[in-house]
Amino acid sequence: MSGNEAQKAARKQILDLVADYYDKFLKVDNTGFEKGDRIPYSGRVFDEKEVKNLVDSSLDFWLTAGRYTDEFEERFGKLLGVKGVSLVNSGSSANLIAFMALTAPELGERRVKKGDEVITVACGFPTTISPIIQYGAVPVFVDVTIPQYNIDVTRLEEALSDKTKAVMIAHTLGNPFDLKAVRQFCDKHNLWLIEDNCDALGSEYEIDGETRFTGTWGDIGTSSFYPPHHITMGEGGCVYTNNGLLHRMVRSFRDWGRDCVCPPGKDNFCGHRFDGKFGDLPVGYDHKYVYSHLGYNLKATDMQAAVGCAQLDKLIPFANARRNNWAMLRKELESVNDLLILPEAAENSNPSWFGFIMCVKEKSGVSRNDITKALEANNIQTRLLFSGNILRHPCFAEYKESVDYRVVGSLEVTDRVMNNAFWVGVYPGMNEKKIEFMASVIRKALGRE
């Protein structure tokens, strides 16, 4: 047996043992439920394929981006219908890189400069707005609507100024924002659109008869692969676009700000490593160490990508399971819709729900905390809608004196969400008994059972 054959045989033996290990020690039965069992809002759902891929990658001991990264980016792009995909180490990094790509000088007059404005919302996760503030651009906060919990598109024109360069907003809990209105607004005023798709991978939206996945209607889309999300690789994220120039900017900012496009471990990919002239550098300065931007190193490892490759096969089944669980829970809670505002899908959308959000009505006679405490007392995880209103958090206090920002209107609905909204999970690890129990606890907390 040759050395190569022996290596293949050894690898197969190891991976067969890994599959056995999964069956004996890692496999989880999500079909049962007894009162008192923990019901998380989300979590990793996997089988032996993810574990085998992870070990297979580790046997290569190629610790940075490699063959699994290439496979993931190619397959992810084909699945979503995008040409340029860049794997990164988290969804937060994805948002950072997506925004920073818009600051590149190569974009000319459309470049976002310090002091330029970016329309967003205060009701959401902070890393959607952190890059805007940290760079020195000006966030312009617009209110949201209930029961979609997305940007109020009727306030977009009011938010516009001669400094506006972009819109950067998320699809809340898998429910797409009004992409048609936002896309038309951006096209009308020549603005960039970044879709924070971290909570909505697999959601679909239709505009004028064409249906696409969310994240692909904007100029740039971002995803997160943190364990609670639609697919996971532990930590990880992705930036994707159909704009070739933006893709090149994303890659540059992700990879230290390099001008060079050589993949990790490959030199002179372009064939002109030592014959270029860049800036004030001497002619022939090593192109691998020419920096066109002040960037970062935000690549993911190949071991993360290996897990993601196995998860990609499950994305559509996972999305369908989330839809079914959401529909089941909504039916169970229809009897208390006079006390709770139940969520509704955006028009022309097919959400891949991240969670099931509710807003307590004032006439219910109970508070949001009454319900969440009852749920947690029954071992059911709950979550609020992230920051609720980021402007009211301690982290924003230091910026109020030193950072420019604008608020459109009073953010009255945003504050209502902050005070009265909460959500529970509908992830694929749920089953009918768990959903029925969650609904029962909510009804009891409202005095209806």
Side-chain angles (χ1 to χ4, degrees), residues 18 94 102-103 115 168 185 213 220 266 290 296 312 338 341 391 401 407 417-418:
V18 168
L102 301 185
T103 71
M168 185 171 180
F185 172 76
F213 286 111
I220 305 178
K266 296 182 181 180
V290 173
Y296 317 87
L312 273 178
D338 58 325
I341 300 175
L391 299 179
E401 300 298 327
V407 176
V417 171
M418 177 185 66

Side-chain angles (χ1 to χ4, degrees), residues 286-355:
D286 188 347
H287 191 208
K288 200 171 180 69
Y289 292 97
V290 173
Y291 301 95
S292 51
H293 310 99
L294 293 175
Y296 317 87
N297 176 13
L298 298 176
K299 296 188 299 296
T301 70
D302 220 42
M303 290 178 285
Q304 292 169 270
V307 175
C309 286
Q311 287 269 293
L312 273 178
D313 294 328
K314 300 176 174 67
L315 174 57
I316 301 304
F318 280 174
N320 289 333
R322 287 176 176 275
R323 292 179 183 116
N324 291 337
N325 292 340
W326 185 93
M328 192 184 310
L329 184 54
R330 200 181 194 289
K331 183 177 180 181
E332 287 285 331
L333 293 175
E334 195 64 40
S335 63
V336 291
N337 67 359
D338 58 325
L339 304 178
L340 292 177
I341 300 175
L342 301 179
E344 293 182 10
E347 188 177 359
N348 301 317
S349 76
N350 183 25
S352 176
W353 296 98
F354 186 54

Side-chain angles (χ1 to χ4, degrees), residues 136-153:
V138 178
V140 178
F141 296 105
V142 178
D143 213 346
V144 297
T145 62
I146 297 174
Q148 286 81 24
Y149 301 91
N150 282 310
I151 191 168
D152 183 351
V153 296

